Amino acid sequence: MLLEGEIEELGAALKGAKAGPRSAGSAVRSVSTSPPVPMRRGDRRRDESDARAAERFAASAMELDADGRVSEVVAAMADAVDFLTPVEAAAAYVVLDAGRRGQLADSLGQMYARERQGRTVIRMALELQDRGMSEDATAILRWAAAADSSR
């Protein structure tokens, strides 16, 4: 699990990274227990180790939330949505929702829908639907549509 210092180190590494997914990915890999790796183009396989990393990230977010450190959770999630793949985002969403942290799950979903491009958000929604979370998948799509119309 990510500890407070690791989340702060990740945030600092991401802020210091040059623009682009490769530099952000290298910044993330520099943290010993980093959240999921950046999406690889054309790789549609469900990489279970990436999903497990997303699940660990979500579990760490729940721990911070339980400690009342909500602003740190929100900051970590805001950084994470830049590099979570749709599978990873869905895995983190599921863990947050199952951990009785529906508000955090919704925040992650809203951030992902607002910050990511259409097809990526659609893939996340499909992942949620495949996991039996059709209502949540619909909510993700609605948030993306609302974000798109406000741009």
Side-chain angles (χ1 to χ4, degrees):
M1 279 192 214
L2 293 176
L3 302 175
E4 173 188 348
E6 291 172 327
I7 289 175
E8 290 170 1
E9 183 181 343
L10 173 64
L14 286 172
K15 287 177 185 166
K18 296 177 185 173
R22 290 179 190 231
S23 58
S26 63
V28 170
R29 284 187 288 279
S30 70
V31 178
S32 61
T33 311
S34 63
V37 297
M39 182 170 51
R40 292 168 295 276
R41 290 182 184 214
D43 185 2
R44 295 183 181 202
R45 293 175 290 142
R46 294 180 188 205
D47 190 340
E48 291 183 25
S49 65
D50 290 352
R52 282 193 298 271
E55 291 164 358
R56 286 192 304 273
F57 176 74
S60 296
M62 288 190 300
E63 287 178 20
L64 288 173
D65 183 56
D67 290 343
R69 298 161 64 191
V70 177
S71 62
E72 292 176 46
V73 175
V74 172
M77 287 193 311
D79 288 339
V81 298
D82 289 336
F83 59 85
L84 288 171
T85 67
V87 172
E88 294 163 344
Y93 187 97
V94 168
V95 170
L96 291 170
D97 190 63
R100 301 186 154 262
R101 296 291 196 281
Q103 188 173 20
L104 286 180
D106 287 347
S107 294
L108 177 65
Q110 289 173 359
M111 288 179 201
Y112 200 83
R114 182 180 61 235
E115 300 298 325
R116 300 301 295 264
Q117 296 297 316
R119 288 184 179 174
T120 303
V121 176
I122 291 169
R123 286 193 296 260
M124 179 198 180
L126 289 172
E127 285 294 325
L128 289 173
Q129 187 170 6
D130 288 349
R131 295 168 185 241
M133 300 181 77
S134 295
E135 289 180 18
D136 298 276
T138 300
I140 297 291
L141 294 173
R142 289 186 190 281
W143 291 325
D148 192 46
S149 68
S150 67
R151 289 182 188 167

